[in-house]
Amino acid sequence: MEPVTYRRRAGAMSRGEREWRVEDDALVSRGVSGHERRYPWRDIVSVRLFHEPSRFRPWRYVFEMQPKHQRKIILDNAHFLARGSYEERSGSYTPFVRAALARVAHQKPGLQVLIGETPKRYFFLLLAALLAFCALAYALIAIPTPFDAWEYSSLAKLVVILLMLPILWRWVLGAMPRGVPLDDIPARALPPIAGGDG
């Protein structure tokens, strides 16, 4: 198999671009010094894919792998250029991630990819969303408005609260962490290749 590579500079503290290479037996990382570090596919215990936009990177997607007894590997499709300036590298990121997932699937056929939030973060986000919903519903009922004199104001407020429920439910289902087989990654977990490397 021809190695699939991906290069990026993570941030201002990085000395230069780091190369990540998918080989048959391992993921290989090489820095500007030429020193290589190997992460055997058989040692990967978890994989996570998620879309995590940020201020200067609204198109940011993240690929996380946890090797056994080592630090988590976190790669995204953003190449640091200067403070507040990033280049989208989806054109090489997406094929790289797909190649890495294929190697993990070959070595660990039963492993599933977590799509979206971690269960712990999802729990806290869900709690925050429920509290925000309750606060909004309470404010709508308790805070006096000019419409309170209207005969059907209570019914109108109830309708507004009920209309907010499907929005909350859609977010709850969309953000719910779910495992998928390595060979059945949904399109939303990876950026479209059309972004290119510029």
Side-chain angles (χ1 to χ4, degrees):
M1 173 181 129
E2 186 70 25
V4 179
T5 61
Y6 175 62
R7 293 176 183 85
R8 71 186 268 273
R9 184 177 178 202
M13 300 302 287
S14 303
R15 291 187 292 164
E17 285 189 13
R18 176 168 288 277
E19 178 187 86
W20 294 87
R21 192 170 63 246
V22 174
E23 294 187 353
D24 282 336
D25 63 330
L27 175 66
V28 181
S29 168
R30 187 175 71 191
V32 290
S33 67
H35 175 73
E36 289 190 349
R37 173 177 258 162
R38 301 181 72 78
Y39 302 92
W41 300 118
R42 68 178 178 275
D43 291 347
I44 302 301
V45 294
S46 70
V47 179
R48 181 175 168 227
L49 294 170
F50 56 102
H51 181 214
E52 188 172 72
S54 63
R55 182 176 172 199
F56 298 110
R57 297 164 287 173
W59 33 261
R60 181 175 184 251
Y61 284 78
V62 183
F63 174 46
E64 262 184 21
M65 285 198 309
Q66 178 64 65
K68 198 183 334 179
H69 309 303
Q70 294 190 54
R71 230 174 43 178
K72 193 178 286 181
I73 300 166
I74 302 172
L75 299 171
D76 63 19
N77 61 333
H79 171 66
F80 177 81
L81 298 172
R83 186 174 178 195
S85 179
Y86 293 86
E87 175 184 42
E88 181 182 0
R89 292 209 167 168
S90 297
S92 55
Y93 169 86
T94 298
F96 165 80
V97 172
R98 288 201 181 279
L101 292 174
R103 295 315 304 155
V104 174
H106 179 73
Q107 290 286 328
K108 312 227 39 186
L111 191 68
Q112 291 206 328
V113 178
L114 179 64
I115 304 294
E117 300 294 347
T118 63
K120 186 188 292 184
R121 187 168 178 207
Y122 176 74
F123 172 76
F124 287 111
L125 287 173
L126 182 60
L127 197 59
L130 287 172
L131 289 173
F133 175 80
C134 291
L136 191 59
Y138 176 77
L140 194 60
I141 293 167
I143 297 174
T145 67
F147 301 106
D148 287 344
W150 185 47
E151 185 180 350
Y152 299 106
S153 65
S154 298
L155 182 62
K157 288 180 179 185
L158 179 63
V159 167
V160 169
I161 292 169
L162 291 176
L163 288 174
M164 290 188 305
L165 279 174
I167 296 167
L168 175 66
W169 185 246
R170 185 173 177 204
W171 176 86
V172 165
L173 292 179
M176 184 181 298
R178 53 181 56 90
V180 298
L182 283 159
D183 59 354
D184 191 27
I185 305 298
R188 67 181 173 83
L190 291 167
I193 295 180
D197 284 354

